[in-house]
């Protein structure tokens, strides 16, 4: 029974590329070494001069979806070091096609080097505009990522059909748009595992791994001085002789981040591919810490230009919490479009910080229908089958209420909360009118030995800085409640808080969101002028019912204001996570009071006390420019301007 189930599951995986209708047929084949008859992985399989294509898996097998328009075209199979294979497509559908590749080495003595090895690399770099696309190109491709445990068993597997928009190669860049057209996942982690997989940016290896487009360090003239380049034994690719050049840091050099080899066509000086790993210096300078990181990249010729064909990426890292990460990602170009295709709209683009595993589509063997994919190896198929079968077996022995596990309910509720939660920080100009003035405060509480007289100079000031940290929870898609704390800086000090409602409407729903913002808040803010510290001669001092027994006290004179704060503003989304906002507010005063505040400055900080005396008070004499008063010289103004950055957790 187990053998039957395994065979059935493998059959379902293999038919994953069957067409939904009659418009496409599937060519299946296996690529072997002509001498050893061993499977050849990573061989490039193309039809119609590589207009469409795929690559072989670890077992040498491939499955290629052939549109009716291409059934009379030629099939080509190529790999570095082998003679290329070419023939007309066989009648489809048909049996598995067996392709045998013959080794075609090029001896070192046959390679005519007219200059230094570095000279070859320089020439290849200078010819990038001649060998690679000079106008925008769109690649359709298949993406797969996984994270394996120490035994090599996948913890999860995620796959996607991507559209990758590539900028012209004259401009050096590692950026570009990626659109996830379809995707699926299988999560094979044990139940209740507390560590969440939040690996970000995986589909972007189509841009990050393109070493020619980004002019990676080992082909960047600014870093040639850091590398030692050597010519290795030559080989061929698509029956074209190539230079095989190894690169490594020069002795004692700590600025070279990579080590590996690259393949350069002897006739056109085009980079046909490279394989490399990060050096210890490269791992240290990388923004994401890792124990090792390796890449393998290949290009293919189409319409006289070389286009990205495959990217293979592996990262191993020990995480602060949870098991070690063994990430594996690969991208395979299946279709090349050199027409002037429009860029994908903002709402259709994937963002680098999007987590690919958040896809809600479950893994199933028939999901891809007629799309060309990269076939999983037999070992991967078996691993997935065994783990899914074990999960199904375990579920048979769980109680019926297992699906309503309270812990899972709590996690789901927490996820729903996070999807509505955002926070951000703002900086603005707090509206104070501050003329220059002299200020004197005398305080002598009755029945105490404390007598304080402090003099301060108030400097004229046009701008007072306020910072705010805000938490927001969305009630609906447009309406949210918020809670914020705020603090004043420069000459005045003070803390405050605000609660309110905000409304945000997207005026640009089909492109980068542009939001109109409106809000209403209730705000309380303290504006204080520090008066310095002094010794406390009275260990039993009580101020407004509060005991202040510390040896050292500090004083400040302040206003405490309550106000309503209606606001209008704009917000623009920088990414799916971040939004830049700007608001103009009008403060409607409700009440205000003047206070003298005393704080303990010595003793354990958690047990220090504060007390305030509301003015006017018999124990306090306040003078401004030597004139008795109960009002401080600064005045609250109505307009408040701020700019900030909001972050959405989900």
């Amino acid at each position: 029974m187990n053998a039957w189930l395994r065979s059935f599951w493998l059959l379902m995986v293999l038919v994953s590329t069957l067409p939904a209708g009659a418009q496409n047929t599937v060519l299946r084949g296996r690529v072997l070494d002509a001498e050893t008859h061993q499977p050849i992985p990573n061989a490039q399989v193309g039809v119609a001069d590589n207009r469409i294509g795929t690559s072989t898996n670890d077992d040498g097998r491939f499955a290629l979806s052939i549109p009716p328009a291409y059934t009379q075209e030629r099939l080509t199979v190529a790999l570095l070091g082998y003679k290329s294979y070419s023939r007309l497509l066989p009648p489809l559908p048909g049996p598995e096609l067996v392709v045998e590749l013959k080794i075609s080495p090029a001896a070192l003595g046959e390679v005519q080097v007219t200059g230094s090895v570095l000279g070859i690399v320089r020439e290849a770099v200078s010819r990038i505009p001649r060998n690679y696309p000079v106008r925008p190109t769109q690649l359709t491709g298949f993406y797969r990522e996984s994270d394996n445990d120490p035994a090599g068993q996948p913890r999860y597997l995620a796959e996607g059909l991507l559209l990758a928009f590539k900028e012209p190669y004259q401009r050096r860049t590692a950026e570009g748009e990626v659109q996830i057209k379809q995707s699926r996942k299988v999560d094979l982690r044990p139940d209740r595992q507390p560590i969440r997989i939040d690996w970000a940016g995986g589909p972007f290896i189509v841009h990050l791994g393109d070493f020619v487009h980004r002019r990676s360090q080992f082909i960047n003239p600014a870093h040639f001085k850091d590398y030692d380049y050597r010519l290795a034994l030559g080989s061929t690719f698509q029956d074209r002789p190539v230079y095989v050049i190894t690169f490594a840091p020069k002795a004692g050099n700590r600025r070279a981040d990579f080590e590996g080899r690259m393949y350069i066509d002897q006739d056109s000086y085009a980079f046909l591919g490279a394989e490399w790993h990060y050096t210890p210096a490269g791992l240290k300078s990388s923004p994401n810490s890792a124990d090792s990181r390796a890449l393998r990249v290949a290009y293919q010729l189409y319409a006289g230009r070389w286009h990205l064909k495959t990217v293979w990426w592996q990262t191993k890292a020990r995480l602060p919490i949870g098991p070690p990460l063994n990430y594996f990602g690969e991208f395979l170009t299946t279709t090349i479009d050199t027409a002037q295709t429009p860029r994908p709209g903002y709402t259709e683009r994937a963002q680098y910080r999007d987590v690919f595993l958040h896809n809600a589509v479950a893994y199933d063997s028939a999901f891809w229908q007629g799309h060309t994919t990269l076939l999983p190896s037999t070992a991967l198929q078996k691993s997935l089958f065994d783990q899914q079968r074990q999960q199904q077996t375990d579920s048979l022995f769980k109680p019926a209420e297992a699906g309503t596990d309270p812990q899972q309910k709590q996690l789901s509720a927490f996820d729903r909360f996070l999807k509505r939660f955002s926070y951000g920080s703002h900086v603005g100009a707090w509206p104070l009118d501050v003329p220059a003035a002299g200020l004197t405060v005398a305080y002598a509480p009755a029945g105490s030995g404390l007598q304080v007289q402090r003099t301060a100079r108030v400097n004229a000031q046009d701008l007072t800085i306020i910072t705010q940290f805000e938490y927001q929870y969305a009630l609906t898609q447009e309406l949210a409640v918020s809670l914020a704390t705020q603090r004043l800086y420069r000459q005045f000090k003070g803390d405050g808080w605000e609660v309110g409602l905000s409304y945000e409407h997207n005026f640009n729903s089909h492109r980068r969101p542009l939001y109109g913002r409106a809000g209403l808040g209730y705000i309380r803010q303290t504006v204080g002028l520090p008066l310095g510290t002094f010794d406390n001669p009275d260990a039993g001092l009580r101020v407004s019912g509060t005991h202040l027994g510390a040896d050292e006290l500090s004083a400040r004179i302040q206003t405490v204001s309550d106000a309503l704060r209606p606001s209008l503003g704009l917000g623009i989304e920088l990414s799916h996570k971040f939004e830049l906002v700007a608001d103009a507010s009008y403060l409607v005063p409700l009440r205000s009071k003047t206070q003298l505040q005393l704080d303990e400055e010595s003793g354990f900080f958690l047990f220090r006390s504060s007390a305030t005396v509301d003015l006017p008070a018999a124990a306090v004499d306040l003078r401004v420019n030597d004139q008795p008063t109960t009002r401080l010289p600064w005045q609250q103004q109505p307009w408040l301007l701020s700019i900030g950055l909001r972050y959405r957790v989900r």
Side-chain angles (χ1 to χ4, degrees):
M1 183 65 177
N2 289 342
W4 184 88
L5 284 173
R6 178 176 300 177
S7 299
F8 176 77
W9 194 92
L10 291 176
L11 178 63
M12 292 300 292
V13 171
L14 290 177
V15 303
S16 64
T17 54
L18 283 175
Q23 67 273 22
N24 284 10
T25 51
V26 176
L27 170 68
R28 302 188 185 281
R30 195 178 193 196
V31 181
L32 304 175
D33 186 291
E35 295 184 6
T36 66
H37 298 288
Q38 295 298 309
I40 299 178
N42 304 312
Q44 295 189 11
V45 181
V47 171
D49 293 327
N50 289 321
R51 183 70 170 80
I52 60 174
T54 186
S55 294
T56 56
N57 66 7
D58 291 343
D59 307 312
R61 284 191 162 85
F62 67 88
L64 184 59
S65 179
I66 309 294
Y70 293 154
T71 55
Q72 303 301 315
E73 296 285 348
R74 298 191 70 84
L75 167 73
T76 59
V77 182
L79 184 66
L80 280 164
Y82 288 87
K83 291 183 178 180
S84 63
Y85 172 94
S86 179
R87 61 160 288 180
L88 287 174
L89 284 170
L92 298 174
E96 183 179 64
L97 178 68
V98 177
V99 176
E100 293 188 340
L101 296 185
K102 296 180 180 180
I103 295 178
S104 178
L108 184 61
E110 299 172 359
V111 177
Q112 301 298 319
V113 181
T114 58
S116 68
V117 178
L118 180 56
I120 297 173
V121 181
R122 288 185 183 276
E123 182 66 20
V125 173
S126 69
R127 295 198 190 186
I128 288 177
R130 187 187 310 178
N131 288 321
Y132 297 86
V134 294
R135 63 180 186 179
T137 307
Q138 181 175 276
L139 305 180
T140 302
F142 179 78
Y143 173 78
R144 176 183 290 134
E145 73 173 38
S146 65
D147 174 41
N148 299 331
D149 63 21
Q153 300 292 319
R155 296 188 181 100
Y156 77 92
L157 182 70
E159 296 176 336
L161 180 68
L162 309 182
L163 293 182
F165 187 89
K166 305 288 287 186
E167 296 282 358
Y169 275 69
Q170 301 100 311
R171 185 172 73 89
R172 173 186 177 184
T173 180
E175 299 178 351
E177 288 82 23
V178 172
Q179 185 178 358
I180 302 176
K181 298 295 290 185
Q182 291 178 272
S183 59
R184 67 181 180 181
K185 71 173 181 181
V186 55
D187 192 341
L188 300 169
R189 293 169 292 167
D191 290 344
R192 301 186 181 182
Q193 182 171 332
I195 305 303
R196 300 175 60 87
I197 298 175
D198 282 341
W199 186 257
F204 282 83
I205 64 174
V206 65
H207 299 304
L208 299 174
D210 190 345
F211 74 92
V212 175
H213 211 170
R214 72 180 303 169
R215 311 295 198 271
S216 291
Q217 195 183 71
F218 53 86
I219 64 168
N220 186 341
H223 292 277
F224 283 161
K225 62 182 181 298
D226 300 323
Y227 285 91
D228 183 19
Y229 297 90
R230 298 181 183 272
L231 191 66
L233 288 175
S235 187
T236 62
F237 179 69
Q238 295 184 3
D239 298 331
R240 308 161 70 99
V242 297
Y243 296 115
V244 182
I245 297 177
T246 64
F247 53 91
K250 288 184 177 179
N253 186 284
R254 297 183 179 180
R255 294 182 299 274
D257 293 342
F258 309 111
E259 181 176 358
R261 65 176 56 205
M262 66 183 99
Y263 306 93
I264 301 175
D265 181 67
Q266 291 187 25
D267 295 329
S268 65
Y269 285 86
F271 293 101
L272 307 189
E275 51 197 45
W276 70 95
H277 62 268
Y278 280 59
T279 64
L283 292 171
K284 187 176 180 180
S285 62
S286 177
N288 299 315
S289 61
D291 297 320
S292 67
R293 185 175 287 120
L295 293 91
R296 185 170 63 240
V297 177
Y299 298 84
Q300 64 182 351
L301 185 64
Y302 171 69
R305 301 280 175 169
W306 290 87
H307 302 262
L308 184 71
K309 176 64 176 180
T310 59
V311 178
W312 179 93
W313 190 310
Q314 185 177 43
T315 296
K316 296 182 179 180
R318 286 166 293 185
L319 304 178
I321 301 176
L325 174 75
N326 186 6
Y327 164 82
F328 171 74
E330 56 186 334
F331 172 81
L332 164 71
T333 298
T334 58
T335 307
I336 302 171
D337 186 358
T338 58
Q340 292 289 346
T341 54
R343 293 174 180 266
Y346 176 83
T347 56
E348 289 81 30
R349 299 178 203 163
Q351 299 286 328
Y352 179 74
R353 297 308 304 179
D354 290 343
V355 178
F356 194 59
L357 195 59
H358 283 172
N359 170 19
V361 179
Y363 195 96
D364 77 278
S365 58
F367 183 79
W368 294 115
Q369 300 179 352
H371 293 299
T372 292
T373 66
L374 183 61
L375 289 178
S377 65
T378 301
L380 178 57
Q381 294 174 21
K382 181 180 182 300
S383 177
L384 288 170
F385 176 80
D386 290 343
Q387 292 195 45
Q388 287 187 320
R389 182 179 60 180
Q390 184 63 46
Q391 288 183 341
Q392 292 171 357
T393 302
D394 292 343
S395 67
L396 296 176
F397 297 94
K398 290 182 179 180
E401 65 273 15
T404 57
D405 180 16
Q407 184 176 0
Q408 297 297 327
K409 278 188 173 183
Q410 292 175 5
L411 180 61
S412 177
F414 183 64
D415 284 345
R416 289 196 299 269
F417 170 78
L418 287 180
K419 289 180 180 179
R420 294 172 173 263
F421 184 69
S422 64
Y423 58 87
S425 59
H426 305 254
V427 62
W430 185 255
L432 281 183
D433 179 17
V434 185
L439 190 147
T440 302
V441 179
Y443 178 54
S448 169
L450 178 67
Q451 291 188 352
V452 179
Q453 182 166 333
R454 313 297 293 180
T455 300
R457 181 70 184 175
V458 180
N459 299 317
Q461 183 172 306
D462 296 327
L463 182 64
T464 302
I465 303 298
I466 186 171
T467 60
Q468 185 181 68
F469 195 85
E470 179 185 39
Y471 303 88
Q472 193 170 90
Y473 183 79
L475 300 175
T476 67
Q477 188 174 358
E478 297 182 328
L479 188 65
V481 293
S482 61
L483 173 65
T485 59
Q486 50 217 22
R487 175 164 293 185
L488 289 183
Y489 292 92
R490 295 191 70 189
Q491 180 178 200
F492 299 98
K493 308 296 179 184
D495 299 308
W497 54 264
E498 180 182 8
V499 294
L501 285 171
S502 64
Y503 175 82
E504 195 171 62
H505 178 72
N506 184 10
F507 293 117
N508 199 20
S509 58
H510 298 294
R511 294 186 176 88
R512 182 183 297 274
L514 177 65
Y515 297 100
R517 294 163 49 85
L520 178 64
Y522 181 91
I523 188 170
R524 171 171 290 180
Q525 180 63 45
T526 299
V527 180
L529 183 69
L531 300 175
T533 60
F534 52 90
D535 294 332
N536 179 16
D538 188 354
L541 176 66
R542 301 191 72 85
V543 176
S544 301
T546 301
H547 177 231
L548 301 179
D551 294 336
E552 187 178 37
L553 303 177
S554 65
R556 73 174 178 181
I557 193 74
Q558 63 187 24
T559 58
V560 180
S561 302
D562 292 353
L564 291 177
R565 182 190 176 193
S567 62
L568 292 174
L570 291 174
I572 184 168
E573 189 171 290
L574 303 179
S575 73
H576 291 339
K577 295 290 186 181
F578 290 96
E579 178 186 348
L580 182 67
V581 297
D583 294 300
S585 308
Y586 190 88
L587 297 177
V588 181
L590 298 178
R591 64 188 64 87
S592 180
K593 57 185 176 181
T594 305
Q595 295 177 328
L596 174 67
Q597 178 169 311
L598 301 180
D599 301 301
E600 292 185 327
E601 296 294 329
S602 58
F604 188 56
F605 72 95
L606 290 178
F607 299 103
R608 295 178 186 175
S609 299
S610 298
T612 58
V613 180
D614 293 338
L615 302 185
V620 179
D621 180 28
L622 174 63
R623 294 176 179 267
V624 175
N625 295 329
D626 293 329
Q627 298 297 317
T629 184
T630 58
R631 299 176 61 87
L632 295 173
W634 54 86
Q635 297 293 323
Q636 187 79 42
Q637 298 299 305
W639 289 104
L640 169 61
L641 303 177
S642 66
I643 187 170
L645 195 65
R646 284 180 54 204
Y647 174 79
R648 300 183 184 93
V649 177
R650 284 285 185 258

